[in-house]
Amino acid sequence: MKKILVTGGAGYIGSHTCVELLDSGYEVVIVDDLSNSELEPMKRIKALTGKSLSFHQVNILDKDALNAVFEKEGNIDAVIHFAALKAVGESVEQPLRYYHNNITGSLTLFEVMQDHAVSKIVFSSSATVYGDPETIPLTEKAPIQATNPYGQTKAMMEQILMDTGETYDWDVIILRYFNPVGAHPSGEIGEDPNYPNNLLPFVSQVAVGLREHVTIFGDDYDTPDGTGVRDYIHVVDLAKAHVKSLEKFATTDQETLVYNIGTGVGYSVKEMVETFREVSGKEIKTVTGPRRSGDIATCIADSSLANTDLKWTAEYDLKAMIESAWNWQSKYPNGYKG
Ligand code: UD1
């Protein structure tokens, strides 16, 4: 059985990916410092899959501890690297912390991989590397022009992996996620609303009565209804793209492959709120506010390369995405805290 080391495996996308890996017959080793996540999802992953996994509470900046994990576990076939700080606004306020954690942390991980002859990696990147797109939909060939420290760290990590792949003959797959939403259909794991950052967790919290209203960040964009349009992708679809990436390693000898992971369909903030109202039957109050600094009008993926090359396609439509988010939020209004 192939053994996969997942950094950040206790987080939102990481935890869903671990479920898909275990369901697909992989052995899973998680490295997570729990700085932005909980231990609870570990128990739930085990309960959902009926499989065991190995968990190490380690920060990837701690080279000795990381080395010890690689030594103890032995025979790691590939790494999936999620562990990173991810809040755009915070990255503007604390650039050094972001560069240190994301870049130095990743370099430490890559060095430990090199020391242990582990040469396959799937890297968690983001559409944020494209910055303000010149053409929509975005293909993987669009220019890389991140506009904030968080996005810069993703772009830099991509470059480090491309150079490493070429020189040391690593197999690297970079997945650029569009806007991940939703939760596992069981409602047992999801995005912890204790750390909300993005639109849907805010809408969910209003629906469940934890917040009074959703602020629409600007309704004067050049979009059909004036609000921002994004390509929302279900987290389980996203998780499955990682399993497909591991399968791809067996059939390619290219050093670095890059894929956009989205649906190719965009929805506005107003459409998201309206669909959430329909699904939940709750009144969701909105207030229109000013644009959020750094936001763009429209971001939509061309994911045809992932469709053909990874044999991956998104299965959840918008309604199913929001139903799963609502199922999780209404079951656990305070997320993993109960
Ligand atoms: C954000 C990050 C991006 C990251 C992505 C996925 C920023 C600027 N970008 O993208 O780097 O890869 O999340 O985690 O933070 N909105 C509201 N009200 C809210 C929240 C959001 O109107 O309370 C709007 C935004 O203006 C945007 C849309 O909803 O039009 C989606 O926002 P969000 O979920 O924060 O994602 P992005 O900004 O697209």
Side-chain angles (χ1 to χ4, degrees), residues 277-326:
R277 283 189 187 116
E278 281 164 26
V279 164
S280 65
K282 302 281 179 189
E283 190 202 339
I284 298 167
K285 196 176 163 206
T286 58
V287 172
T288 303
R291 291 183 178 194
R292 180 173 63 181
S293 161
D295 272 359
I296 54 175
T298 305
C299 187
I300 299 173
D302 177 339
S303 290
S304 48
L305 195 61
N307 301 155
T308 51
D309 220 31
L310 287 182
K311 300 181 178 53
W312 168 89
T313 33
E315 285 167 13
Y316 284 78
D317 64 13
L318 180 64
K319 193 152 175 272
M321 289 189 220
I322 292 187
E323 274 167 357
S324 72
W326 177 236

Side-chain angles (χ1 to χ4, degrees), residues 35 42 48 52 72 125 131 137 147 161 172 186-187 191 202 226 228 270 278 280 302 305 309 337:
S35 59
M42 301 300 101
L48 277 173
S52 62
K72 180 168 182 284
S125 190
T147 56
L161 279 172
V172 177
S186 64
E191 185 165 19
F202 275 108
K270 284 186 177 169
E278 281 164 26
S280 65
D302 177 339
L305 195 61
D309 220 31
K337 291 191 168 46

Side-chain angles (χ1 to χ4, degrees), residues 88 126-128 148 150 177-180 197-200 202 214-217 221 228-230 232 269 292-296:
V88 173
S126 166
T128 199
N148 54 68
Y150 161 71
Y177 317 146
F178 280 64
N179 287 59
N197 230 322
N198 302 113
L199 175 66
L200 218 57
F202 275 108
V214 179
T215 304
I216 296 178
F217 295 149
Y221 283 102
V229 170
R230 297 289 182 275
Y232 295 94
V269 177
R292 180 173 63 181
S293 161
D295 272 359
I296 54 175

Side-chain angles (χ1 to χ4, degrees), residues 105-261:
S106 296
L107 284 173
T108 308
L109 170 69
F110 304 157
E111 284 164 7
V112 173
M113 286 173 63
Q114 177 74 351
D115 289 347
H116 291 83
V118 177
S119 60
K120 292 182 171 49
I121 181 164
V122 181
F123 176 60
S124 159
S125 190
S126 166
T128 199
V129 300
Y130 297 120
D132 196 351
E134 282 152 23
T135 47
I136 297 288
L138 279 152
T139 71
E140 290 81 358
K141 292 194 169 61
I144 299 302
Q145 44 191 20
T147 56
N148 54 68
Y150 161 71
Q152 295 287 7
T153 67
K154 289 285 175 187
M156 287 178 191
M157 288 186 277
E158 285 194 4
Q159 189 60 51
I160 292 166
L161 279 172
M162 287 177 195
D163 294 341
T164 304
E166 198 173 310
T167 302
Y168 299 130
D169 204 19
W170 281 20
D171 295 334
V172 177
I173 294 187
I174 292 168
L175 301 181
R176 293 182 182 146
Y177 317 146
F178 280 64
N179 287 59
V181 292
H184 193 267
S186 64
E188 288 299 308
I189 56 170
E191 185 165 19
D192 199 333
N194 296 306
Y195 314 96
N197 230 322
N198 302 113
L199 175 66
L200 218 57
F202 275 108
V203 179
S204 305
Q205 291 204 335
V206 175
V208 88
L210 289 174
R211 286 173 197 267
E212 204 220 324
H213 65 263
V214 179
T215 304
I216 296 178
F217 295 149
D219 64 357
D220 57 351
Y221 283 102
D222 184 15
T223 60
D225 66 17
T227 65
V229 170
R230 297 289 182 275
D231 184 335
Y232 295 94
I233 170 86
H234 195 278
V235 65
V236 170
D237 280 332
L238 196 57
K240 286 180 176 165
H242 297 79
V243 178
K244 293 286 188 186
S245 299
L246 294 176
E247 289 166 10
K248 180 74 184 167
F249 284 141
T251 62
T252 182
D253 53 6
Q254 267 177 282
E255 277 96 26
T256 306
L257 297 165
V258 183
Y259 300 103
N260 284 341
I261 304 296

